[in-house]
Amino acid sequence: MKLLQNKVAELFKNGTINLMIGFKNALNKQVVPCFIENSSQAEQLIYTADCKNNLSVYLHKPEVKKIKKVGIIGNIATLRSLIQLTSENQLWDIEQTILTVNEKDEIILFKNMREVETYVQTYFPENHTEEDKKLLEYIDSLPREERWKYWMEQFSTCIKCYACRAVCPMCYCTQCTVECNQPQWIKISSETTGNLEWHIMRAMHLAGRCIECGECGRVCPVGIPIHLLTTKMNQELFKEFATRPGFSLKGEYAMNTFKPEDKEGFIK
Amino acid sequence: MEIKTINTTNISTFFNQLVQSGKIVIAPVLKKSGKIFFERVQSYNQIETDYIQTAFSAKSVVFPKVEELFSYSKTTDNFETKQSLSDIPETVVWGLRPCDSAAFNYMTRFFMDENPDIYFATRKERTTLIAISCAKSDEACFCTSVGLDPGKTKGSDIQLTLMGNEYYVEVITEKGLSAIKTSESLFTSSTEKSKEKYLAEPTTKFSIEEIKEKMQNAYDNVAWGQESMGCVGCGACAFACPTCTCFDIQDEGTGENGKRIRCWDACGFSQFTKHASGHNPKPNQTARRRQRLLHKFKYSVENIGMVSCVGCGRCIRICPAHLNIFENILNVTKA
Amino acid sequence: MSEFEPKIVAFVCNWCTYAGADLAGTNRTKYASNVKIIRFPCTGRIDFMLLMKAFENGADGVIVSGCHPNDCHYTSGNFHARRRWIIFRSLLDFIGFDTDRITFSWISAAEGNKWAQIVDEVTEKIKSKGPFTDLKKLNCTLLKQLYDEAITK
């Protein structure tokens, strides 16, 4: 911990960063994002296995973009989202300093995005918890009508708080489709058909871009495992098109490219 | 007010008799996700009894997340509208905490002052609130900082406090009396007892009077930027909060038929204050978070004389970044 | 009691399938009249939400059809559409939606007979499946009953 705190203090002192987005301890034994603006505050910083938030979502905030020189620390999922966002040209106006801590507890400071790309490509990350894998297996094993019942029960509890959208680094549209009312594609109110459409739309807009950090499922106030929707889609996309988001700085991913020889078995 | 006691062995009988009376009974239920929500139950063994706080408040009983205001349908040469207040059933909410009961008080002031809201009024009139005093609290609880405490009966129709092998029962209102009428044999009259040693002791974070004063000048404090950085702009805190009453009115339908509905809205959403002209007076999250906290601790006080926060801590627990409202308040009121 | 006549909505591209349907008409080919055709410039323009909206508004089945690969009037619209349909279909399947109710096809401007054949096949299939009620059931007391059941177990 001290090493990390010292490193960050140094980055402030030599003017590399004016803001550090990291983690700190908070009440009820929780670990929360913290925003440090000078070297004396660096002693709050911690980095443990509980640091699961994907901090790259904060890089879209105008308040953060204004500060320009921003440091950020994260796990593999966060690094992948930084790569994906860079490939989508969303981080051109921030000078990022990216840090991570590997399994050997070594602090790695990346000189540029290429280094992040190389680091991420050496890992084939399994972000999924045992719980998630079991739940996915369980849902896959259900017959169609049971699957429908399962998801409809889940969606009926959705309160449309949009926490899933708010924490997702890939959801950066300044005006979301749900906020369009000419026409009102997705109902504002929380009722099951509208909720179903919202989640389908979100999963489709994230297809091939979601880097499976699992934040959406973690923050859902009613506990719907929505991260499984995009996880499943990513698995299918990898099976069909051998692409994975968040691994390459080239702006190509499954849904914005095509191959004339793509195959499917259901088009008549 | 009447004081009674009921043995813990009889509490489930009382509960089940409430269910059998035909009323809808809403109580805390533990879900598969590990969170506890208020839901309709049919018997005492479905409810969760060992918890500090539910994930969401019970405000949906009187202020549902979606409420039909009226429906319309086209007749041969005109339109017909229908308002359906008669469908609202008699409801009992069991297992509220004292902070939640106090929140119902706030909501009553909000909806009934000046222009009484008939939908809220009808629902509130048909709802009985049975609260259970808090024996434990966690670090997110701060009711004692906003003028409440784990045993306060403000807003409850009946309040239960667990004292060893019996519940101390304070029947505060007429509604409370009629709720225990059919189960009267289970209760014993009692003298007033002190609840203090059975109550939780959440730490007091600040003095509400001091804060109310300091918030008067807090608008320009530069700390707002730092305190709002973690906010991602979702509606989780507003939806979980027992005193948040903002709503949106939408028309859903076609030219033939449809309905006008009222649904929850949240001041954290970026489009919440956007004008039809395109101008947004709260253009960034800092401005929106500041508005939220000033509303709760300054504007509410100016408008209806009540702080619109009961210290339940739900916003802290449910926030994706666990933003801490009382820490924010303390930091923006520092000189 | 009349037999159930399914409502089929067809999202088709202007240059191939729509022209193919026109050809079926000019040839006076007899085929099921259950289909309502919506014309798009290209299958690449078809938003997946439109399919959901069709079902929400009472469709029992949906046909999505366009130019054969390499024949798109806009060169690559149908290639993008193909990828989109592949992933949309697997998402719907994962959610438990009956993907048999949606039929995707490539029908060119010369394939009037194929159009008629597809419409007939789809109509037969949906007729035997029955009306689509999965979404209708959701917004009413049935779901509440399910919920109550789940709690009382």
Side-chain angles (χ1 to χ4, degrees):
Chain A
M1 227 56 74
K2 208 72 193 97
L3 280 168
L4 176 65
Q5 291 162 5
N6 290 343
K7 186 109 200 119
V8 172
E10 196 189 302
L11 289 168
F12 272 109
K13 290 203 183 104
N14 60 28
T16 315
I17 58 175
N18 291 330
L19 173 72
M20 176 70 195
I21 309 178
F23 294 94
K24 69 175 180 189
N25 280 321
L27 51 71
N28 283 352
K29 296 200 178 59
Q30 286 161 345
V31 161
V32 303
C34 76
F35 302 84
I36 292 176
E37 289 177 323
N38 57 52
S39 54
S40 58
Q41 294 173 347
E43 56 194 17
Q44 297 171 51
L45 284 175
I46 60 155
Y47 195 79
T48 63
D50 288 328
C51 295
K52 296 204 180 77
N53 295 52
N54 190 334
L55 298 175
S56 53
V57 66
Y58 293 111
L59 297 179
H60 297 302
K61 288 186 105 164
E63 296 96 314
V64 169
K65 284 193 193 281
K66 213 163 50 171
I67 300 182
K68 253 195 158 22
K69 292 188 178 161
V70 180
I72 185 169
I73 188 166
N75 52 18
I76 291 278
T78 312
L79 297 179
R80 279 178 69 189
S81 51
L82 288 169
I83 291 181
Q84 183 69 19
L85 285 172
T86 310
S87 78
E88 291 180 12
N89 217 17
Q90 292 302 309
L91 299 178
W92 59 272
D93 47 0
I94 297 188
E95 286 169 41
Q96 314 151 62
T97 303
I98 304 169
L99 292 146
T100 191
V101 177
N102 66 13
E103 338 74 70
K104 299 196 206 115
D105 274 342
E106 292 164 345
I107 304 170
I108 305 176
L109 171 64
F110 296 101
K111 289 200 198 66
N112 51 43
M113 285 309 293
R114 279 261 165 249
E115 283 193 2
V116 182
E117 189 189 38
T118 318
Y119 181 81
V120 156
Q121 282 175 357
T122 54
Y123 285 85
F124 216 65
E126 275 283 21
N127 298 350
H128 310 131
T129 59
E130 274 311 308
E131 220 180 284
D132 281 346
K133 285 198 204 127
K134 279 210 186 87
L135 189 51
L136 202 52
E137 253 173 54
Y138 165 70
I139 299 173
D140 268 337
S141 69
L142 294 171
R144 184 191 72 77
E145 289 88 359
E146 294 294 309
R147 269 208 303 279
W148 178 254
K149 202 161 147 210
Y150 172 84
W151 282 112
M152 291 313 110
E153 272 172 23
Q154 295 288 334
F155 292 148
S156 66
T157 61
C158 170
I159 51 164
K160 294 290 220 61
C161 66
Y162 302 123
C164 48
R165 173 187 76 177
V167 287
C168 177
M170 300 309 149
C171 278
Y172 50 74
C173 290
T174 45
Q175 181 151 350
C176 179
T177 316
V178 292
E179 285 160 355
C180 167
N181 66 358
Q182 302 275 7
Q184 187 82 51
W185 265 126
I186 312 280
K187 292 201 183 95
I188 299 281
S189 60
S190 151
E191 57 84 34
T192 320
T193 322
N195 296 350
L196 167 69
E197 289 176 352
W198 159 243
H199 287 291
I200 287 181
M201 196 195 81
R202 206 185 85 89
M204 283 298 289
H205 283 194
L206 286 173
R209 301 168 58 231
C210 162
I211 43 78
E212 297 174 57
C213 60
E215 281 287 271
C216 48
R218 181 186 72 83
V219 303
C220 176
V222 291
I224 305 174
I226 39 182
H227 55 298
L228 294 181
L229 292 174
T230 41
T231 301
K232 181 73 183 175
M233 306 248 309
N234 272 4
Q235 283 177 357
E236 291 295 315
L237 283 170
F238 184 66
K239 217 167 49 185
E240 302 274 352
F241 310 118
T243 55
R244 269 188 201 272
F247 275 85
S248 158
L249 288 171
K250 266 198 287 187
E252 285 165 16
Y253 53 90
M255 300 307 289
N256 76 345
T257 53
F258 64 86
K259 289 204 180 81
E261 58 272 17
D262 282 338
K263 291 248 178 313
E264 43 38 54
F266 58 88
I267 303 185
K268 292 207 205 286
Chain B
M1 160 125 119
E2 283 186 27
I3 312 253
K4 298 190 190 288
T5 54
I6 178 170
N7 213 297
T8 47
T9 48
N10 284 332
I11 200 76
S12 49
T13 317
F14 170 46
F15 185 92
N16 291 332
Q17 280 174 358
L18 281 172
V19 177
Q20 277 145 29
S21 70
K23 299 198 174 115
I24 298 213
V25 180
I26 313 265
V29 173
L30 177 64
K31 309 296 291 172
K32 273 192 224 130
S33 57
K35 299 185 197 241
I36 302 179
F37 288 94
F38 278 104
E39 277 182 7
R40 181 177 182 183
V41 292
Q42 304 291 353
S43 97
Y44 190 74
N45 56 19
Q46 295 174 293
I47 76 175
E48 182 61 32
T49 49
D50 183 24
Y51 65 97
I52 292 176
Q53 188 56 286
T54 56
F56 276 18
S57 66
K59 73 179 175 187
S60 53
V61 174
V62 290
F63 175 49
K65 69 181 180 187
V66 182
E67 177 161 29
E68 184 182 301
L69 301 180
F70 62 82
S71 61
Y72 63 89
S73 61
K74 199 171 175 181
T75 56
T76 36
D77 55 353
N78 210 342
F79 272 92
E80 207 175 62
T81 57
K82 209 164 65 138
Q83 197 181 51
S84 46
L85 290 168
S86 52
D87 294 342
I88 297 169
E90 290 283 334
T91 310
V92 173
V93 188
W94 174 281
L96 290 166
R97 295 299 189 197
C99 50
D100 295 325
S101 301
F104 274 86
N105 255 21
Y106 168 81
M107 281 198 285
T108 309
R109 283 296 301 279
F110 176 84
F111 280 109
M112 304 295 285
D113 243 20
E114 280 190 50
N115 293 307
D117 182 302
I118 189 160
Y119 303 95
F120 175 87
T122 316
R123 287 179 194 276
K124 180 77 176 45
E125 205 237 333
R126 298 180 196 177
T127 305
T128 309
L129 303 173
I130 302 183
I132 303 183
S133 304
C134 308
K136 349 182 234 190
S137 64
D138 69 8
E139 292 164 36
C141 294
F142 62 103
C143 59
T144 48
S145 315
V146 289
L148 300 171
D149 72 66
K152 205 155 184 144
T153 57
K154 182 157 115 164
S156 310
D157 293 309
I158 300 177
Q159 183 126 335
L160 305 170
T161 309
L162 183 61
M163 295 186 175
N165 62 355
E166 65 178 19
Y167 279 95
Y168 179 66
V169 184
E170 292 164 276
V171 189
I172 297 133
T173 61
E174 283 300 318
K175 243 192 230 163
L177 277 171
S178 67
I180 65 168
K181 222 180 175 58
T182 38
S183 315
E184 239 168 336
S185 55
L186 300 168
F187 293 86
T188 327
S189 264
S190 167
T191 52
E192 219 175 294
K193 292 189 201 174
S194 162
K195 299 187 282 199
E196 219 180 296
K197 64 177 185 179
Y198 299 100
L199 297 180
E201 288 167 358
T203 42
T204 303
K205 323 284 180 189
F206 50 68
S207 135
I208 191 60
E209 296 307 320
E210 235 182 80
I211 290 297
K212 274 199 261 187
E213 214 188 287
K214 288 193 179 154
M215 283 300 253
Q216 299 297 319
N217 303 315
Y219 189 91
D220 293 313
N221 195 321
V222 293
W224 284 111
Q226 167 68 236
E227 298 304 313
S228 332
M229 278 284 208
C231 178
V232 287
C234 68
C237 59
F239 289 3
C241 174
T243 56
C244 277
T245 46
C246 283
F247 55 82
D248 191 9
I249 295 186
Q250 292 272 322
D251 287 335
E252 291 176 1
T254 62
E256 300 296 310
N257 55 44
K259 52 190 178 173
R260 175 162 292 174
I261 56 127
R262 166 165 82 184
C263 59
W264 289 352
D265 206 349
C267 54
F269 292 143
S270 58
Q271 314 278 305
F272 184 70
T273 46
K274 192 167 181 185
H275 295 175
S277 63
H279 169 65
N280 191 344
K282 307 288 173 208
N284 53 46
Q285 214 58 47
T286 310
R288 292 190 276 273
R289 180 105 184 124
R290 176 177 59 196
Q291 170 66 23
R292 180 175 175 71
L293 265 50
L294 282 175
H295 170 257
K296 287 195 171 291
F297 290 90
K298 176 173 188 273
Y299 306 143
S300 271
V301 176
E302 287 165 10
N303 293 340
I304 58 174
M306 290 173 86
V307 165
S308 55
C309 173
V310 292
C312 68
R314 285 186 176 94
C315 53
I316 303 175
R317 296 185 201 100
I318 217 167
C319 174
H322 298 299
L323 241 60
N324 189 324
I325 189 172
F326 59 76
E327 250 178 45
N328 295 154
I329 296 280
L330 285 169
N331 288 337
V332 299
T333 50
K334 271 194 207 147
Chain C
M1 180 74 160
S2 56
E3 204 187 281
F4 159 61
E5 282 298 340
K7 291 197 188 74
I8 317 279
V9 177
F11 298 93
V12 305
C13 92
N14 175 58
W15 303 98
C16 284
T17 310
Y18 194 77
D22 257 350
L23 181 61
T26 342
N27 283 345
R28 299 176 192 250
T29 316
K30 285 198 171 46
Y31 63 93
S33 56
N34 303 60
V35 68
K36 297 182 198 327
I37 301 178
I38 304 179
R39 180 174 66 117
F40 283 80
C42 178
T43 46
R45 170 61 183 93
I46 301 173
D47 195 312
F48 53 85
M49 281 313 295
L50 292 168
L51 275 68
M52 290 307 301
K53 288 291 174 188
F55 282 111
E56 192 189 323
N57 287 313
D60 300 303
V62 162
I63 299 174
V64 184
S65 179
C67 305
H68 286 266
N70 288 312
D71 286 346
C72 178
H73 185 83
Y74 304 99
T75 323
S76 54
N78 57 357
F79 288 138
H80 286 293
R82 176 163 57 183
R83 284 220 170 177
R84 200 179 297 147
W85 299 343
I86 292 173
I87 198 61
F88 186 52
R89 206 160 166 277
S90 61
L91 176 64
L92 287 183
D93 193 45
F94 183 58
I95 289 182
F97 190 93
D98 189 1
T99 47
D100 272 344
R101 288 186 181 265
I102 310 178
T103 308
F104 297 94
S105 60
W106 306 128
I107 298 178
S108 80
E111 291 177 318
N113 286 336
K114 187 174 175 189
W115 168 252
Q117 188 198 341
I118 296 267
V119 174
D120 278 338
E121 268 171 28
V122 171
T123 310
E124 262 323 296
K125 185 163 66 170
I126 305 289
K127 241 190 219 171
S128 63
K129 276 182 172 289
F132 180 67
T133 51
D134 279 351
L135 287 180
K136 287 203 186 77
K137 278 194 225 160
L138 290 177
N139 300 332
C140 67
T141 50
L142 179 65
L143 190 70
K144 185 151 188 320
Q145 271 172 38
L146 278 176
Y147 223 35
D148 282 351
E149 266 169 41
I151 298 173
T152 50
K153 264 200 255 270

